[in-house]
Structure formats: structure tokens, C-alpha cells
Short mmCIF file of all heavy atoms in Angstrom, two decimals:
data_model
loop_
_atom_site.label_atom_id
_atom_site.label_comp_id
_atom_site.label_asym_id
_atom_site.label_seq_id
_atom_site.Cartn_x
_atom_site.Cartn_y
_atom_site.Cartn_z
N ILE A 1 -21.01 -4.96 -4.83
CA ILE A 1 -19.57 -5.15 -5.03
C ILE A 1 -19.18 -6.58 -4.67
O ILE A 1 -19.30 -6.98 -3.50
CB ILE A 1 -18.76 -4.16 -4.17
CG1 ILE A 1 -19.14 -2.72 -4.52
CG2 ILE A 1 -17.26 -4.38 -4.35
CD1 ILE A 1 -18.53 -1.68 -3.59
N PRO A 2 -18.71 -7.38 -5.62
CA PRO A 2 -18.28 -8.76 -5.34
C PRO A 2 -16.88 -8.78 -4.73
O PRO A 2 -15.90 -9.17 -5.37
CB PRO A 2 -18.32 -9.42 -6.71
CG PRO A 2 -18.00 -8.30 -7.66
CD PRO A 2 -18.59 -7.06 -7.07
N ALA A 3 -16.79 -8.38 -3.48
CA ALA A 3 -15.48 -8.23 -2.84
C ALA A 3 -14.78 -9.59 -2.68
O ALA A 3 -15.42 -10.59 -2.37
CB ALA A 3 -15.64 -7.58 -1.48
N VAL A 4 -13.47 -9.58 -2.88
CA VAL A 4 -12.69 -10.81 -2.70
C VAL A 4 -12.34 -11.04 -1.24
O VAL A 4 -11.97 -12.15 -0.85
CB VAL A 4 -11.41 -10.79 -3.57
CG1 VAL A 4 -11.76 -10.78 -5.05
CG2 VAL A 4 -10.52 -9.60 -3.21
N SER A 5 -12.44 -9.97 -0.41
CA SER A 5 -12.23 -10.13 1.04
C SER A 5 -12.84 -8.94 1.77
O SER A 5 -13.00 -7.86 1.21
CB SER A 5 -10.74 -10.24 1.39
OG SER A 5 -10.08 -9.01 1.22
N GLU A 6 -13.19 -9.19 3.04
CA GLU A 6 -13.69 -8.14 3.93
C GLU A 6 -12.74 -8.05 5.11
O GLU A 6 -12.52 -9.03 5.82
CB GLU A 6 -15.11 -8.46 4.40
CG GLU A 6 -16.13 -8.47 3.26
CD GLU A 6 -17.54 -8.74 3.77
OE1 GLU A 6 -17.70 -9.14 4.95
OE2 GLU A 6 -18.49 -8.56 2.98
N GLU A 7 -12.17 -6.88 5.31
CA GLU A 7 -11.11 -6.69 6.30
C GLU A 7 -11.64 -6.09 7.60
O GLU A 7 -12.68 -5.43 7.63
CB GLU A 7 -10.01 -5.80 5.72
CG GLU A 7 -9.42 -6.30 4.41
CD GLU A 7 -8.78 -7.68 4.53
OE1 GLU A 7 -8.16 -7.94 5.57
OE2 GLU A 7 -8.91 -8.48 3.59
N SER A 8 -10.88 -6.30 8.68
CA SER A 8 -11.31 -5.83 10.00
C SER A 8 -10.93 -4.39 10.29
O SER A 8 -11.32 -3.83 11.32
CB SER A 8 -10.72 -6.73 11.10
OG SER A 8 -9.31 -6.69 11.07
N SER A 9 -10.16 -3.77 9.41
CA SER A 9 -9.82 -2.35 9.57
C SER A 9 -9.54 -1.73 8.21
O SER A 9 -9.18 -2.43 7.26
CB SER A 9 -8.61 -2.15 10.49
OG SER A 9 -7.41 -2.50 9.83
N VAL A 10 -9.69 -0.42 8.14
CA VAL A 10 -9.49 0.28 6.88
C VAL A 10 -8.02 0.22 6.44
O VAL A 10 -7.72 0.20 5.24
CB VAL A 10 -9.99 1.74 6.99
CG1 VAL A 10 -9.09 2.56 7.91
CG2 VAL A 10 -10.11 2.40 5.63
N THR A 11 -7.11 0.16 7.40
CA THR A 11 -5.69 0.09 7.04
C THR A 11 -5.35 -1.25 6.39
O THR A 11 -4.43 -1.33 5.57
CB THR A 11 -4.80 0.31 8.28
OG1 THR A 11 -5.24 -0.54 9.34
CG2 THR A 11 -4.86 1.75 8.74
N ASP A 12 -6.09 -2.30 6.72
CA ASP A 12 -5.88 -3.60 6.08
C ASP A 12 -6.32 -3.55 4.61
O ASP A 12 -5.69 -4.16 3.74
CB ASP A 12 -6.64 -4.70 6.81
CG ASP A 12 -6.07 -4.99 8.19
OD1 ASP A 12 -4.89 -4.68 8.42
OD2 ASP A 12 -6.80 -5.52 9.05
N VAL A 13 -7.42 -2.85 4.35
CA VAL A 13 -7.87 -2.68 2.96
C VAL A 13 -6.81 -1.93 2.17
O VAL A 13 -6.40 -2.35 1.07
CB VAL A 13 -9.21 -1.91 2.90
CG1 VAL A 13 -9.59 -1.60 1.45
CG2 VAL A 13 -10.31 -2.71 3.58
N LEU A 14 -6.34 -0.83 2.72
CA LEU A 14 -5.31 -0.04 2.05
C LEU A 14 -4.06 -0.87 1.81
O LEU A 14 -3.46 -0.82 0.72
CB LEU A 14 -4.97 1.19 2.90
CG LEU A 14 -3.91 2.13 2.33
CD1 LEU A 14 -4.39 2.78 1.05
CD2 LEU A 14 -3.53 3.20 3.36
N GLY A 15 -3.66 -1.65 2.79
CA GLY A 15 -2.46 -2.46 2.67
C GLY A 15 -2.52 -3.46 1.53
O GLY A 15 -1.52 -3.69 0.84
N LYS A 16 -3.69 -4.02 1.28
CA LYS A 16 -3.82 -5.00 0.19
C LYS A 16 -3.73 -4.33 -1.18
O LYS A 16 -3.22 -4.93 -2.13
CB LYS A 16 -5.13 -5.77 0.34
CG LYS A 16 -5.11 -6.73 1.50
CD LYS A 16 -6.10 -7.88 1.35
CE LYS A 16 -5.81 -8.96 2.38
NZ LYS A 16 -6.67 -10.15 2.22
N VAL A 17 -4.20 -3.09 -1.27
CA VAL A 17 -4.07 -2.37 -2.55
C VAL A 17 -2.61 -1.94 -2.75
O VAL A 17 -2.06 -2.07 -3.85
CB VAL A 17 -5.01 -1.15 -2.58
CG1 VAL A 17 -4.80 -0.35 -3.87
CG2 VAL A 17 -6.46 -1.59 -2.48
N VAL A 18 -1.98 -1.46 -1.69
CA VAL A 18 -0.58 -1.03 -1.79
C VAL A 18 0.32 -2.20 -2.18
O VAL A 18 1.24 -2.07 -2.99
CB VAL A 18 -0.11 -0.42 -0.45
CG1 VAL A 18 1.40 -0.21 -0.46
CG2 VAL A 18 -0.81 0.91 -0.19
N SER A 19 0.05 -3.38 -1.61
CA SER A 19 0.90 -4.55 -1.87
C SER A 19 0.62 -5.21 -3.21
O SER A 19 1.37 -6.11 -3.63
CB SER A 19 0.71 -5.58 -0.75
OG SER A 19 -0.61 -6.13 -0.80
N GLY A 20 -0.47 -4.82 -3.88
CA GLY A 20 -0.81 -5.42 -5.16
C GLY A 20 -1.70 -6.64 -5.05
O GLY A 20 -2.02 -7.28 -6.06
N GLU A 21 -2.14 -6.98 -3.83
CA GLU A 21 -3.04 -8.12 -3.65
C GLU A 21 -4.45 -7.81 -4.15
O GLU A 21 -5.24 -8.72 -4.39
CB GLU A 21 -3.11 -8.51 -2.18
CG GLU A 21 -1.82 -9.06 -1.60
CD GLU A 21 -1.97 -9.40 -0.13
OE1 GLU A 21 -2.76 -10.32 0.17
OE2 GLU A 21 -1.33 -8.75 0.71
N ALA A 22 -4.77 -6.53 -4.27
CA ALA A 22 -6.10 -6.13 -4.73
C ALA A 22 -5.96 -5.04 -5.79
O ALA A 22 -4.98 -4.29 -5.81
CB ALA A 22 -6.92 -5.62 -3.55
N ASP A 23 -6.98 -4.98 -6.67
CA ASP A 23 -7.00 -3.97 -7.74
C ASP A 23 -7.65 -2.68 -7.28
O ASP A 23 -7.42 -1.61 -7.87
CB ASP A 23 -7.77 -4.49 -8.96
CG ASP A 23 -7.19 -5.78 -9.52
OD1 ASP A 23 -5.95 -5.90 -9.54
OD2 ASP A 23 -7.98 -6.67 -9.93
N ALA A 24 -8.48 -2.77 -6.27
CA ALA A 24 -9.20 -1.59 -5.78
C ALA A 24 -9.73 -1.86 -4.37
O ALA A 24 -9.81 -3.01 -3.93
CB ALA A 24 -10.37 -1.26 -6.71
N GLY A 25 -10.10 -0.79 -3.69
CA GLY A 25 -10.68 -0.92 -2.36
C GLY A 25 -11.44 0.35 -2.03
O GLY A 25 -11.35 1.35 -2.74
N LEU A 26 -12.18 0.28 -0.95
CA LEU A 26 -12.88 1.46 -0.44
C LEU A 26 -12.28 1.82 0.92
O LEU A 26 -12.35 1.01 1.86
CB LEU A 26 -14.38 1.21 -0.34
CG LEU A 26 -15.14 1.31 -1.66
CD1 LEU A 26 -16.56 0.78 -1.51
CD2 LEU A 26 -15.17 2.74 -2.16
N VAL A 27 -11.68 3.00 1.00
CA VAL A 27 -11.05 3.47 2.22
C VAL A 27 -11.46 4.93 2.42
O VAL A 27 -12.20 5.49 1.63
CB VAL A 27 -9.50 3.35 2.15
CG1 VAL A 27 -9.08 1.91 1.96
CG2 VAL A 27 -8.94 4.22 1.03
N TYR A 28 -10.95 5.54 3.48
CA TYR A 28 -11.26 6.94 3.72
C TYR A 28 -10.34 7.85 2.89
O TYR A 28 -9.22 7.48 2.53
CB TYR A 28 -11.10 7.28 5.20
CG TYR A 28 -12.09 6.59 6.09
CD1 TYR A 28 -11.66 5.69 7.07
CD2 TYR A 28 -13.46 6.81 5.97
CE1 TYR A 28 -12.57 5.05 7.90
CE2 TYR A 28 -14.37 6.17 6.79
CZ TYR A 28 -13.92 5.29 7.76
OH TYR A 28 -14.81 4.64 8.57
N VAL A 29 -10.84 9.05 2.66
CA VAL A 29 -10.04 10.08 1.97
C VAL A 29 -8.70 10.26 2.66
O VAL A 29 -7.65 10.40 2.01
CB VAL A 29 -10.81 11.42 1.96
CG1 VAL A 29 -9.93 12.56 1.45
CG2 VAL A 29 -12.08 11.31 1.11
N THR A 30 -8.69 10.23 3.98
CA THR A 30 -7.46 10.45 4.74
C THR A 30 -6.44 9.34 4.51
O THR A 30 -5.22 9.59 4.52
CB THR A 30 -7.78 10.55 6.24
OG1 THR A 30 -8.56 9.41 6.62
CG2 THR A 30 -8.57 11.81 6.54
N ASP A 31 -6.91 8.11 4.31
CA ASP A 31 -5.99 6.99 4.06
C ASP A 31 -5.27 7.16 2.73
O ASP A 31 -4.07 6.89 2.61
CB ASP A 31 -6.75 5.67 4.09
CG ASP A 31 -7.37 5.38 5.44
OD1 ASP A 31 -6.63 5.27 6.42
OD2 ASP A 31 -8.61 5.30 5.52
N VAL A 32 -6.01 7.60 1.73
CA VAL A 32 -5.40 7.85 0.41
C VAL A 32 -4.39 8.98 0.52
O VAL A 32 -3.27 8.88 0.00
CB VAL A 32 -6.49 8.20 -0.62
CG1 VAL A 32 -5.84 8.56 -1.96
CG2 VAL A 32 -7.45 7.03 -0.81
N LYS A 33 -4.74 10.03 1.23
CA LYS A 33 -3.85 11.18 1.38
C LYS A 33 -2.54 10.78 2.06
O LYS A 33 -1.45 11.21 1.66
CB LYS A 33 -4.54 12.27 2.21
CG LYS A 33 -3.73 13.55 2.39
CD LYS A 33 -4.52 14.57 3.20
CE LYS A 33 -3.71 15.82 3.48
NZ LYS A 33 -3.41 16.58 2.25
N ASN A 34 -2.65 9.90 3.06
CA ASN A 34 -1.45 9.49 3.81
C ASN A 34 -0.58 8.51 3.04
O ASN A 34 0.56 8.27 3.42
CB ASN A 34 -1.86 8.88 5.15
CG ASN A 34 -2.52 9.90 6.05
OD1 ASN A 34 -2.29 11.09 5.94
ND2 ASN A 34 -3.38 9.43 6.94
N ALA A 35 -1.13 7.92 1.96
CA ALA A 35 -0.35 6.96 1.16
C ALA A 35 0.00 7.54 -0.21
O ALA A 35 0.19 6.79 -1.17
CB ALA A 35 -1.15 5.67 0.99
N GLN A 36 0.08 8.84 -0.29
CA GLN A 36 0.39 9.50 -1.56
C GLN A 36 1.69 8.95 -2.14
O GLN A 36 2.66 8.72 -1.43
CB GLN A 36 0.52 11.01 -1.36
CG GLN A 36 -0.82 11.71 -1.21
CD GLN A 36 -0.66 13.20 -0.99
OE1 GLN A 36 0.43 13.69 -0.70
NE2 GLN A 36 -1.75 13.93 -1.13
N GLY A 37 1.67 8.73 -3.46
CA GLY A 37 2.84 8.19 -4.13
C GLY A 37 2.77 6.69 -4.30
O GLY A 37 3.47 6.12 -5.13
#
């Protein structure tokens, strides 16, 4: 995976996808569930 950044926590990865800074990320199932919508 040619990642554009490596984050220090899973919530930082999720935050970049939510904000539109990233097109995709790898997070836990629980993180996706908590950000439904």
C-alpha cells in the first residue's frame, strides 16, 4: 500500500478520511461503526 501518511493512532486515520484528506484508510471495525453516516 503506497500510503500518503502513517498516523500515530487509528482515530487519526479515521479523521483524515472523514475530513476528505484521504480517499481510504485502514481502521478497526469499531471505528467505522462509531462513524456511521
Side-chain angles (χ1 to χ4, degrees):
I1 301 172
V4 296
S5 71
E6 295 182 348
E7 304 300 323
S8 61
S9 75
V10 69
T11 50
D12 291 338
V13 174
L14 180 65
K16 289 204 167 184
V17 176
V18 170
S19 67
E21 294 179 65
D23 302 321
L26 281 169
V27 299
Y28 294 118
V29 171
T30 52
D31 297 299
V32 175
K33 182 179 176 66
N34 295 334
Q36 284 179 346

